[in-house]
Amino acid sequence: MLSTVLSGAAVLTAALIAPAPAQADVEAQLLDTLTCASSSTTTYDPPIGLTPVTTTRTIHQVYGPCVGTGVASAVTGGTHDSSNTTARSCLQLLSTATVSWTIHWSNGSQSTVTTQRVSNLAGAVFTNTFTGTVTSGLLTGHAVVETMTAPSTQILACTLGQGTVSSLGAVHTLTIV
């Protein structure tokens, strides 16, 4: 009887000491992070102006160098390329929008992110802040923050009706935690 009580106590002690599966998953996710420097080029053909025009927007973005931990430790860089045709104006560059894109990572995996974009035009600087979540692929469920900074000269002139935007070159910082 004493051995039964002792073995029961051992099982109870082990259950109390072992982390719950959900807690273990959360702790593992905290170890899975990724931070990347990045640059992008976005072109508009034909260029966009103050009045909406049907244009093809093409984005080429290169992520890297990247530093990852946990499941993302093998990621050293990545790319995102997309193109679509729709009616656009330069005023839309300053709007808030839900944006999704897929990143193809250097280790052969990919991540699709869905974010809310908030834009700001202040002096000589145009910024976008993207805040959201990895919705599929590597690091699914993790939070995403990406900041983009570009010169604002073309955009400012366009919003004043004094020019068009044909392309934007930008630098980015991506953090997935």
Side-chain angles (χ1 to χ4, degrees):
M1 171 132 179
L2 181 59
S3 65
T4 304
V5 170
L6 289 176
S7 67
V11 169
L12 179 59
T13 301
L16 292 173
I17 294 173
Q23 180 183 349
D25 290 345
V26 168
E27 289 172 1
Q29 276 192 346
L30 293 176
L31 300 176
D32 300 331
T33 65
L34 186 61
T35 302
C36 301
S38 175
S39 61
S40 69
T41 302
T42 303
T43 59
Y44 299 94
D45 185 21
I48 57 176
L50 194 54
T51 303
V53 60
T54 298
T55 186
T56 299
R57 178 187 66 187
T58 303
I59 299 171
H60 174 68
Q61 187 165 357
V62 176
Y63 293 89
C66 297
V67 177
T69 61
V71 298
S73 62
V75 173
T76 58
T79 59
H80 161 72
D81 290 287
S82 63
S83 184
N84 65 354
T85 302
T86 189
R88 286 191 173 83
S89 78
C90 56
L91 295 176
Q92 290 169 309
L93 298 176
L94 303 176
S95 66
T96 299
T98 299
V99 184
S100 295
W101 68 94
T102 299
I103 304 166
H104 299 274
W105 299 114
S106 58
N107 68 347
S109 63
Q110 63 183 30
S111 298
T112 299
V113 300
T114 300
T115 65
Q116 187 71 21
R117 179 191 74 212
V118 176
S119 302
N120 188 36
L121 185 60
V125 180
F126 171 61
T127 59
N128 278 324
T129 302
F130 302 88
T131 306
T133 306
V134 178
T135 54
S136 69
L138 183 68
L139 300 173
T140 296
H142 284 67
V144 174
V145 175
E146 183 167 345
T147 57
M148 179 199 99
T149 305
S152 68
T153 307
Q154 279 189 59
I155 299 168
L156 184 57
C158 183
T159 61
L160 296 172
Q162 299 173 354
T164 59
V165 178
S166 58
S167 66
L168 288 173
V171 293
H172 302 247
T173 301
L174 170 74
T175 304
I176 302 176
V177 294

